[in-house]
Amino acid sequence: MSSPATADVDSGEPADNGVDDTEKSDSTTTAPADDTDTTGDTVEDSPEVDRWQRFVADDPVEEPATEPTGRLARLKHRLVTTARHEWTLAALASVVLAAVMTWPVLKDPLHTIPHDVGDPLLITYVLAWTGHALWNNPGGLWDTSAFYPLSDSYAFTDTFLGYAPASLIGSGTEAALLRYNLLYVFAFALAFFGAYALFRQLGARIAGSTVAAAAFAYAPWKLAQAGHLQVLSVGGIVLALAMLARGHGYSLRHGYRPKRTRWGWVIAGWLVATWQVSIGFGMGVPFAYFLAGVCVVAAVNWVLSRFPRIPWRVLAANAGGILIFAGAGILQAIPYFRVLANHPEAERTLDYVGFYSPAGPVSWSVRRSRRCGGPRTNRPGLRWCGIRRPACWSGSPFWHWPWLV
């Protein structure tokens, strides 16, 4: 038995469901009562219907003037979010802390020099020469006006090429002093910020990272090196390590996470490492040795871990970064090899290095010095002349005091 609603296929006539033609037409032409489409969205509220109504309207529908307000609101939200971001606050705190801890360097930066009038003034001249040569005679960069007519005299000490952008700004003695003082404060600020970024990437919390960054940026050994900007400029080391660790998705808390790799951070890390070496080989060579050791350890760990998958973009970024790092270092070293060939007496023997190194394992070794007529420490040490003769502390940075306390 067939249902009344089923069509008679053999006869070819439609089944009669008890509804006349009028009712059928009414039922087929009447819109749904709830004005909803098959997706459950209201038809009148549909974006397509709203856009069509504006198009066919007799009078053009004016858009409400909310777009500029929306853009301003979004811009304000982004600015507020950026201002409140952890890295923005960390950068600001680094600058403020550096200004306070190196006070009174910025009290009168146009007419004063921190620490003493020895190496700081030499570095001030080197920085000024870099800008002068780049503006007037880039080809004669390595032949400074000092020690004329000797060639490659720019390689008689660290070149500070990494600070060349700052050297291009200003001229004259006051500009030279201001440049050095600002870079002096910048070195401490970058050291704090870079160390903070590294420890945060490795898994430390904010409080622990802050303490570790302060210990790194204002370590007691820097008291004996306060006149050597090339030694104080170590912020690029920890910042490059932080970028490389982030690019490889590595932390001490979670280990290696392939999904966290970012090839852009890898390239940025190698570029910062290259910049660090361009400041000078005094800290650049030990940093290069350290990076080489990290690469060896990483390669051995990769083999022992049975060759885990590494994204090809990360491998390409490392290959390109290593080539840039090594190439820049070799190009910068060429003039130094020429100086060594022309001046064999400039070679530093092991006896020479041992004379300026601490005697034995004692880190508080004291050596005689002509400065202030009294002994001082070499590394990390205290300035014993400052203790014996308080007048020697005039102009010393504020961060000397708490470490003595």
Side-chain angles (χ1 to χ4, degrees), residues 105-131:
V105 172
L106 297 182
K107 184 179 181 180
D108 187 14
L110 296 178
H111 306 93
T112 57
I113 197 77
H115 192 64
D116 57 34
V117 293
D119 287 338
L121 289 181
L122 170 63
I123 299 173
T124 301
Y125 163 78
V126 173
L127 293 171
W129 170 258
T130 303

Side-chain angles (χ1 to χ4, degrees), residues 20 46 56 58 76 79 108 138 142 151 154 183 193 201-203 275 295 316 320 357 359 385:
D20 58 8
S46 176
V56 300
D58 296 333
K76 179 181 178 181
L79 293 177
D108 187 14
W142 294 93
S151 61
Y154 190 55
L183 291 176
F193 180 79
Q201 174 61 33
L202 294 179
W275 172 80
C295 292
S357 300
C385 64

Side-chain angles (χ1 to χ4, degrees), residues 334-356:
I334 291 176
Y336 287 88
F337 286 112
R338 290 202 301 260
V339 169
L340 185 60
N342 296 329
H343 305 277
E345 69 279 4
E347 182 179 0
R348 297 294 184 254
T349 62
L350 292 179
D351 293 337
Y352 183 91
V353 175
F355 178 80
Y356 288 98

Side-chain angles (χ1 to χ4, degrees), residues 278-292:
S278 68
I279 294 177
F281 285 128
M283 301 302 294
V285 171
F287 180 44
Y289 289 156
F290 179 79
L291 284 179

Side-chain angles (χ1 to χ4, degrees), residues 90-102 106 163 181-197 213-214 216-218 222 229 232-236 238-239:
L92 293 176
S94 301
V95 175
V96 173
L97 182 62
V100 172
M101 295 296 281
T102 58
L106 297 182
Y163 290 142
N181 289 328
L182 291 179
L183 291 176
Y184 184 83
V185 177
F186 170 77
F188 287 98
L190 184 61
F192 183 92
F193 180 79
Y196 179 85
F216 176 82
Y218 303 99
K222 291 188 176 182
L229 183 61
L232 300 178
S233 300
V234 294
V238 284
L239 184 60

Side-chain angles (χ1 to χ4, degrees), residues 306-331:
R306 297 184 178 181
F307 309 101
R309 176 182 174 274
I310 301 177
W312 70 269
R313 290 185 176 88
V314 175
L315 293 176
N318 277 299
I322 292 175
L323 289 177
I324 294 174
F325 180 81
I330 293 174
L331 289 177

